[in-house]
Amino acid sequence: MSKSNLTRRGMLKTGAIAGAGVALPTIFTAGSARAFTNEPTGGSVTLGFNVPQTGPYADEGADELRAYELAVEHLNGGGDGGMLNTFSSKVLDGTGIMGKKVEYVTGDTQTKSDAARASAQSMIQKDGAIMITGGSSSGVAVAVQGLCQEAGVIFMAGLTHSNDTTGKDKKANGFRHFFDAYMSAAAMAPVLAKQYGTDRKAYHLTADYTWGWTQQESIAAATEALGWETVENVLTPLAQTDFSSYIAPVLNSGADVLILNHYGGNMVNSLTNAVQFGLREKQVNGKQFEIVVPLFSRLMARGAGEAIKGILGSTNWHWSLQDEGTKTFVKSFGTKYGFPPSQAAHTCYVQTLLYADAVQRAGSFDPCAVVEALEGGDSSLPGISSPSNKGFLFDGLGNGQTLYRSADHQCFKDVLVVRGKENPTSEFDLLEVVEVTPVSQVWYEPDHPMFAGGSLGSCNPGA
């Protein structure tokens, strides 16, 4: 059950968030090693689930919220325990976090950065949330991550794919399990070259915010390195619903590939418009015209219907994987909700468990202790020779061996290249995995030019 408020005791000091205009409580309790924001003093702890319940990414948000509720149920000892049973770390036992019952509050980001910040702010200030998670927009993630850094709480990013989240906008209090635009491009480019050849002319339509910019930059660089030419890149508003006026110029551009750097409802609408214009039936430059969507999910495939068939893209995870963690999670989620989880649901469920596990291992809710636990020390991924290959290594959560890299708080794992199925067997069987790209192929150094310009800085406990 969610709750709207916590009774906060022992409030002796109020600290203002820089630039936020709202004062947040810093709670001091007797016997603490040091004070930190919203230290839980009773028998429960509150987490804040900030998801898009309205707007173009609302379908993703609804599935994220289902996953968060399932994670709370499992942490509190309900259901079948889910991935607590397969997680390589064994400190979570269904008795909450540090013996405290997990409760939660929810908010609607509206897929707008200002609304998301206000929602997160309210959860921290009014509800005593000690950790904020969620979001299906990188603009939202960057904004809320910055807020959490200033407030002194941990931010476990939900679905955010921009390079900037763990690049120029990375923060010590923020962590991302989801993959990023560079990884999508590194995984997809060789598949695109194999499927469509190296002599291609690409026209890009790009969502006009941080994710779209870095997605376009990444896929353009990766395809150009293999011989493709980028003919044009046109920015489109996030609030756009009809893309007809953007599709029409593609017909006379000389391009033979349309790359849709769109997500959620934007991608459903732009792909539908492109198919309605007959692009997939056209021959250009002596080649069959192709459409590519660098990042998509089962939820988007469902929304796009017939238009998604044969379309290549990438995804963070898919419910058809056969590892024990995936099978366990799909069973738990399916039993509760009647259908398989999306990649958004998966990453949000996993982030909740990873936070709880880090608190348990640290023996404290202190954000700086949690940061240290999630950074993990000197564990490393096998097969990668790099001085930055250090962090918290874990397994059993659905992506194989995964490293939370201490240098930038980015997870590294295998990446899936997928394609819309031509002959789906059900409304959920819409994607086929074309290739599981090994983590070594998508690895990059923290100072890579696409990620440069930011600094983690220091953990902020909020006191």
Side-chain angles (χ1 to χ4, degrees):
M1 286 289 288
S2 64
K3 63 190 183 75
S4 59
N5 287 288
L6 270 182
T7 301
R8 296 185 302 279
R9 296 175 294 176
M11 190 186 298
L12 301 179
K13 180 180 178 183
T14 299
I17 296 184
V22 177
L24 294 183
T26 300
I27 294 181
F28 290 68
T29 56
S32 296
R34 67 173 169 194
F36 55 88
T37 301
N38 291 337
E39 180 176 1
T41 59
S44 65
V45 58
T46 298
L47 309 182
F49 301 150
N50 206 21
V51 304
Q53 299 183 50
T54 56
Y57 296 173
D59 281 353
E60 308 286 331
D63 227 31
E64 288 179 342
L65 195 52
R66 294 182 190 106
Y68 286 134
E69 292 171 349
L70 182 62
V72 168
E73 180 180 313
H74 290 164
L75 288 171
N76 287 332
D80 60 9
M83 284 183 171
L84 268 65
N85 300 310
T86 60
F87 190 11
S88 56
S89 178
K90 300 301 182 185
V91 298
L92 297 173
D93 59 5
T95 58
I97 307 175
M98 293 278 291
K100 297 182 184 294
K101 181 182 179 183
V102 181
E103 299 184 340
Y104 64 91
V105 289
T106 66
D108 181 8
T109 69
Q110 304 174 41
T111 321
K112 297 176 182 176
S113 296
D114 288 347
R117 280 180 66 99
S119 177
Q121 212 168 53
S122 177
M123 292 181 195
I124 298 168
Q125 182 183 9
K126 296 181 179 178
D127 302 312
I130 196 168
M131 181 272 275
I132 301 294
T133 180
S136 288
S137 155
S138 291
V140 162
V142 167
V144 175
Q145 180 168 259
L147 174 76
C148 289
Q149 180 69 34
E150 295 161 355
V153 301
I154 295 294
F155 177 61
M156 300 296 285
L159 200 157
T160 168
H161 192 244
S162 170
N163 293 339
D164 292 346
T165 307
T166 48
K168 71 179 184 64
D169 294 308
K170 59 180 173 281
K171 303 294 182 187
N173 284 39
F175 293 84
R176 170 165 60 180
H177 171 265
F178 207 67
F179 68 150
D180 57 45
Y182 177 92
M183 295 178 185
S184 281
M188 284 200 66
V191 177
L192 293 175
K194 182 178 179 180
Q195 296 282 333
Y196 304 142
T198 56
D199 180 20
R200 284 285 187 167
K201 299 181 185 299
Y203 192 110
H204 294 247
L205 291 181
T206 300
D208 190 12
Y209 75 107
T210 178
W211 169 68
W213 306 332
T214 67
Q215 176 58 75
Q216 193 277 332
E217 177 188 29
S218 298
I219 195 71
T223 53
E224 287 169 9
L226 294 173
W228 287 31
E229 176 187 346
T230 301
V231 173
E232 187 67 77
N233 177 41
V234 177
L235 301 178
T236 63
L238 186 58
Q240 192 74 24
T241 55
D242 185 350
F243 291 86
S244 300
S245 62
Y246 293 95
I247 301 296
V250 179
L251 297 168
N252 300 313
S253 67
D256 47 47
V257 177
L258 173 61
I259 298 181
L260 296 175
N261 300 297
H262 289 157
Y263 196 75
N266 287 165
M267 172 271 186
V268 171
N269 292 328
S270 62
L271 178 59
T272 300
N273 288 157
V275 172
Q276 288 170 342
F277 269 75
L279 287 184
R280 299 191 74 182
E281 283 73 52
K282 292 191 176 298
Q283 292 277 328
V284 180
N285 304 325
K287 305 178 183 70
Q288 183 69 39
F289 194 97
E290 302 291 352
I291 301 174
V292 174
V293 179
L295 175 69
F296 66 85
S297 69
R298 178 182 59 79
L299 296 176
M300 292 158 62
R302 182 186 65 190
E306 293 285 317
I308 201 65
K309 291 184 176 182
I311 298 291
L312 284 169
S314 69
T315 191
N316 188 67
W317 172 88
H318 192 253
W319 66 268
S320 66
L321 294 174
Q322 292 300 300
D323 61 276
E324 288 306 309
T326 291
K327 289 191 292 185
T328 296
F329 178 53
V330 170
K331 179 182 177 183
S332 293
F333 192 96
T335 298
K336 188 172 180 68
Y337 298 113
F339 47 85
S342 65
Q343 65 169 355
H346 170 257
T347 209
C348 288
Y349 177 95
V350 168
Q351 282 285 69
T352 309
L353 263 57
L354 286 169
Y355 170 77
D357 173 78
V359 172
Q360 201 80 25
R361 287 187 292 111
S364 173
F365 287 96
D366 183 327
C368 295
V370 174
V371 167
E372 186 175 345
L374 279 169
E375 288 183 341
D378 291 331
S379 297
S380 59
L381 280 166
I384 295 176
S385 177
S386 166
S388 68
N389 184 12
K390 297 183 188 307
F392 173 51
L393 186 68
F394 60 90
D395 205 341
L397 295 182
N399 285 108
Q401 282 197 312
T402 302
L403 181 78
Y404 241 135
R405 187 164 68 178
S406 59
D408 53 6
H409 297 179
Q410 173 63 51
C411 269
F412 283 84
K413 52 191 180 295
D414 296 345
V415 170
L416 307 181
V417 178
V418 295
R419 177 168 47 210
K421 273 195 171 183
E422 295 287 353
N423 298 297
T425 59
S426 74
E427 62 179 308
F428 309 113
D429 179 38
L430 303 178
L431 305 180
E432 59 181 334
V433 177
V434 175
E435 185 168 312
V436 178
T437 306
V439 63
S440 58
Q441 185 175 316
V442 302
W443 182 269
Y444 57 85
E445 295 303 317
D447 61 353
H448 186 283
M450 289 186 186
F451 297 83
S455 172
L456 274 177
S458 300
C459 166
N460 178 22

